[in-house]
Amino acid sequence: MANNTDNLFKHRFNGQNVTVHKKERIFKQYFAIDAYDISYSRFDGTESKVFRREVFERDADAVAILAYDVKTDEVALIEQFRIGALKDSDSPWLIEIVAGMIDGNERPEISAIRELKEEIGVCLKEDKLLRICEEYATPGGASEKTTVFIANADLSELANHGGLDIEGEDIRVFKAPLTEAYKQIGLGRIKNAVTILAIQYLLIEKEKVKQIFR
């Protein structure tokens, strides 16, 4: 049974089954857009027609970290302005977990440690990080991949403000019980996808996570 299930999730194709006929950067400012003329292998054994797709590029992948205090069963959350939510009916200030971009060839764990310090004032070592998954938020049009962590953190001295002025960040920092954070998802106050993912994962796997963090 396990083998049959494994086969269901086995990829039928890989990157070698995609042909890039042309690639050009058609826009570059704070973000970038690349245009591809591509074709790819189809599940019926044929090749697709050549078609054009534009891809939103940040030229780097990202990390997201849910800082969790095992002793108090609390998580660290932040609030900051997000231009993509400008038309939101409630507010373009979103409640999120710590996140940021990977610098160069930096390992995701190192990026996570840096972002925790910059955004919420929490300093910890790599062995306090639990990597839970990698996710593509909008792979139909954006290339960014985010590595998601849960951090074993002491939130007793959490900063109340974070971010780097040089990056235009203005971040409100607070902590809340895990169950309350989950409740706020249903109430529509937490709308950030990777934040929802991390909170739900921790709620489902909390006992396993606590065992790992002992």
Side-chain angles (χ1 to χ4, degrees):
M1 185 66 176
N3 290 334
N4 290 337
T5 302
D6 288 344
N7 187 57
L8 284 173
F9 290 92
K10 182 179 179 180
H11 292 297
R12 272 41 178 180
F13 304 121
N14 57 38
Q16 295 180 348
N17 296 99
V18 179
T19 301
V20 178
H21 301 270
K22 182 181 179 182
K23 175 188 175 183
E24 59 179 327
R25 177 145 291 186
I26 60 176
F27 177 83
K28 174 62 179 176
Q29 287 194 16
Y30 185 73
F31 300 119
I33 298 176
D34 291 338
Y36 291 80
D37 291 343
I38 64 168
S39 60
Y40 60 81
S41 300
R42 292 167 51 90
F43 292 114
D44 64 5
T46 64
E47 183 79 3
S48 74
K49 294 179 179 180
V50 178
F51 60 95
R52 171 161 281 219
R53 288 290 183 271
E54 293 79 31
V55 178
F56 177 87
E57 279 285 355
R58 300 187 72 174
D59 291 327
D61 288 328
V63 293
I65 314 100
L66 177 60
Y68 175 56
D69 194 322
V70 176
K71 300 185 299 298
T72 63
D73 200 33
E74 293 176 309
V75 294
L77 297 168
I78 64 175
E79 183 182 18
Q80 61 182 323
F81 173 75
R82 290 303 199 189
I83 186 65
L86 192 59
K87 295 186 291 185
D88 188 83
S89 58
D90 292 324
S91 173
W93 276 259
L94 298 185
I95 294 174
E96 306 173 342
I97 59 175
V98 172
M101 306 308 296
I102 296 173
D103 287 345
N105 294 322
E106 197 173 53
R107 289 188 298 111
E109 286 78 5
I110 302 303
S111 304
I113 290 169
R114 186 187 68 252
E115 293 295 336
L116 284 165
K117 183 177 181 180
E118 289 177 1
E119 294 195 355
I120 63 173
V122 167
C123 298
L124 48 74
K125 295 182 179 179
E126 191 172 327
D127 62 359
K128 299 294 185 180
L129 291 172
L130 174 64
R131 185 190 290 220
I132 62 172
C133 70
E134 296 176 344
E135 64 91 28
Y136 290 93
T138 52
S143 65
E144 182 182 287
K145 178 179 70 176
T146 301
T147 303
V148 187
F149 296 91
I150 295 176
N152 183 6
D154 180 357
L155 302 182
S156 62
E157 297 184 2
L158 193 68
N160 58 22
H161 185 271
L164 297 177
D165 288 338
I166 194 172
E167 295 182 5
E169 294 177 326
D170 177 49
I171 298 173
R172 178 173 75 94
V173 183
F174 65 101
K175 58 185 177 181
L178 173 61
T179 53
E180 183 62 27
Y182 176 72
K183 177 182 175 182
Q184 296 302 319
I185 296 172
L187 293 174
R189 296 193 181 116
I190 293 179
K191 302 177 182 180
N192 174 267
V194 75
T195 300
I196 295 171
L197 181 158
I199 290 172
Q200 290 180 335
Y201 179 92
L202 179 55
L203 196 67
I204 293 168
E205 301 288 356
K206 184 168 72 171
E207 293 309 313
K208 181 177 78 174
V209 171
K210 289 171 72 173
Q211 288 292 325
I212 293 171
F213 283 167
R214 279 188 174 179

